[in-house]
């Protein structure tokens, strides 16, 4: 029999249409195993959220299976990590999967990843399709295995939380992540340190960047990167990986108008890798030549982030 899967969707309850779409995409997966969907409400009203998805939750998938849907409050630390862990605890299933409330699983996602799990993998990701405005850009890893070295050298945006499928009990989300920043990158790194991550390298999840709650939380993003450097010292060892993180720190400081800090991190970026493009971008933002939001809009339109 196919393993049971617990799917965790954290939500604030403030974007009901996106949540309904995410819920429908999970429940209509052509997957023969049992799915338990836990919609975890972080700071909102669970009763109101249950009403938002009531008709969607009553649907059956293509095989006629009626899956279990729970709507419950986040009972752990406030924020995304606590909500994810609340959902994991509520799902008494063999496997756990994540989906953000503004993302969409595409047909075949769960079945393809479950085959990788059945083949011996502990943690699986897949390719994504980035949606920004009217554009959709596929982002693939170019490999069927993601290692610690890969995740140190690059954040690998396609190893996204909405693609995660893993054996229950293998890993939990670290709730000390500042404002929930980089909790997914940290989780993937810790999983890869246990066993290489299996990757189904085709776009099976649509990631909607324009709806993110986190995109312009500059101070939180700085805290999240500093947290990652402290937790994973290897990030500062690989020159390319270090330059990428330092360049991001330079950019976020520039976005806050902290020119001195932006310049300091830009110098560290150049010292690690002279060709890292984030440093000159950060300096341009610090100099007022372009706004940080304009930079992100240009990058997101091409399916990339800073």
């Amino acid at each position: 029999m196919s393993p049971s899967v617990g799917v965790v969707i954290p939500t604030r309850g403030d974007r009901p249409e996106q949540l309904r779409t995410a819920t429908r995409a999970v429940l209509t997966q052509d997957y023969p195993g049992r799915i338990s969907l836990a919609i975890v409400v972080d700071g909102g009203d669970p009763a109101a959220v249950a009403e938002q998805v009531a008709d969607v939750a009553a649907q059956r998938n293509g095989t006629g299976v009626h899956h279990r849907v729970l709507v419950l409050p986040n009972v752990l630390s406030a924020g995304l990590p606590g909500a994810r862990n609340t959902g994991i605890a509520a799902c008494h299933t063999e496997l756990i999967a994540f989906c953000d409330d503004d993302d969409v699983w595409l047909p075949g996602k769960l079945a393809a990843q479950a085959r990788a799990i059945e083949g011996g993998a502990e943690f699986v990701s897949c390719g994504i399709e980035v949606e920004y405005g009217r554009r959709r850009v596929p982002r693939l890893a170019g490999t069927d295995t993601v290692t610690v070295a890969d995740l140190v050298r690059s954040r690998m945006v396609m190893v996204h939380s909405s693609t995660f499928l893993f054996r229950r009990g293998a890993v939990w989300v670290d709730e000390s992540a500042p404002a929930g920043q980089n909790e997914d990158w940290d989780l993937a790194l810790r999983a890869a340190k246990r066993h290489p991550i299996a990757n189904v390298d085709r776009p099976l999840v649509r990631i909607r960047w324009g709806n993110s709650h986190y995109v312009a939380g500059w101070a939180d993003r700085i805290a999240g990167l500093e947290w990652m450097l402290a937790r994973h010292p290897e990030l500062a060892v690989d020159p390319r990986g270090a330059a990428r993180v330092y360049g991001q720190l330079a950019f976020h400081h520039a976005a806050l108008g902290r020119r001195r800090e932006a310049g300091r991190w830009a110098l560290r970026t150049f010292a690690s890798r002279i060709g890292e493009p984030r440093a000159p971008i950060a300096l341009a933002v610090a100099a007022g030549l372009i706004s940080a939001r304009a930079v992100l809009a240009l990058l997101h339109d091409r399916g990339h982030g800073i």
Side-chain angles (χ1 to χ4, degrees):
M1 294 180 63
S2 298
S4 57
V5 182
V7 183
V8 181
I9 300 183
T11 187
R12 297 179 182 178
D14 58 351
R15 40 193 184 193
E17 287 307 313
Q18 290 94 329
L19 175 61
R20 286 167 54 83
T21 301
T23 299
R24 183 181 295 108
V26 168
L27 296 179
T28 56
Q29 287 285 306
D30 189 12
Y31 180 71
R34 176 172 62 88
I35 295 176
S36 293
L37 174 58
I39 300 174
V40 184
V41 184
D42 182 46
D45 179 6
V49 172
E51 183 65 25
Q52 291 172 8
V53 300
D55 60 328
V56 180
Q59 290 183 338
R60 297 175 184 269
N61 70 2
T63 61
V65 175
H66 187 187
H67 297 302
R68 178 171 177 253
V69 179
L70 294 173
V71 179
L72 64 159
N74 177 13
V75 297
L76 298 175
S77 60
L80 189 55
R84 293 203 203 279
N85 283 341
T86 292
I88 293 174
C91 293
H92 304 291
T93 53
E94 298 164 84
L95 307 178
I96 295 293
F98 291 160
C99 184
D100 291 348
D101 69 349
D102 58 337
D103 295 334
V104 182
W105 285 5
L106 300 179
K109 185 266 189 194
L110 191 52
Q113 289 188 300
R115 286 193 291 270
I117 289 278
E118 291 169 350
E122 183 177 86
F123 194 106
V124 187
S125 62
C126 66
I128 63 173
E129 178 184 81
V130 175
E131 180 179 274
Y132 183 74
R134 296 183 178 180
R135 289 174 59 89
R136 292 177 180 170
V137 181
R139 296 293 307 275
L140 306 179
T143 180
D144 59 6
T145 304
V146 176
T147 66
V148 172
D150 294 328
L151 289 165
V152 167
R153 189 174 308 112
S154 168
R155 169 60 188 86
M156 300 192 74
V157 68
M158 69 291 300
V159 184
H160 186 281
S161 57
S162 290
T163 75
F164 292 175
L165 178 71
F166 54 93
R167 296 186 184 276
R168 191 180 191 279
V171 285
W172 291 76
V173 183
D174 193 315
E175 296 180 36
S176 70
Q181 288 286 336
N182 292 317
E183 46 82 27
D184 51 350
W185 186 19
D186 167 73
L187 186 69
L189 265 170
R190 287 189 286 117
K193 288 175 181 179
R194 290 170 55 93
H195 302 285
I197 295 172
N199 180 62
V200 180
D201 205 33
R202 61 181 191 269
L204 294 173
V205 179
R206 182 171 299 142
I207 307 299
R208 295 171 165 178
W209 272 358
N211 298 313
S212 174
H213 287 301
Y214 296 94
V215 65
W218 312 118
D220 289 339
R221 298 185 79 171
I222 290 168
L225 288 171
E226 291 175 341
W227 179 77
M228 286 295 293
L229 288 171
R231 283 178 58 79
H232 301 281
E234 62 272 22
L235 292 173
V237 175
D238 182 275
R240 182 179 291 272
R244 182 180 56 81
V245 173
Y246 298 160
Q248 288 175 323
L249 284 164
F251 179 84
H252 301 327
H253 279 290
L256 287 171
R258 301 172 180 171
R259 293 186 178 184
R260 185 183 298 274
E261 286 297 299
R264 183 171 69 85
W265 282 109
L267 287 175
R268 290 192 66 177
T269 304
F270 288 132
S272 294
R273 178 173 175 257
I274 193 65
E276 170 56 52
R278 291 170 180 82
I281 292 173
L283 293 175
V285 172
L289 301 178
I290 189 172
S291 73
R293 288 184 178 273
V295 170
L296 289 185
L298 290 169
L299 291 172
H300 289 176
D301 192 52
R302 291 160 177 79
H304 292 264
I306 194 64

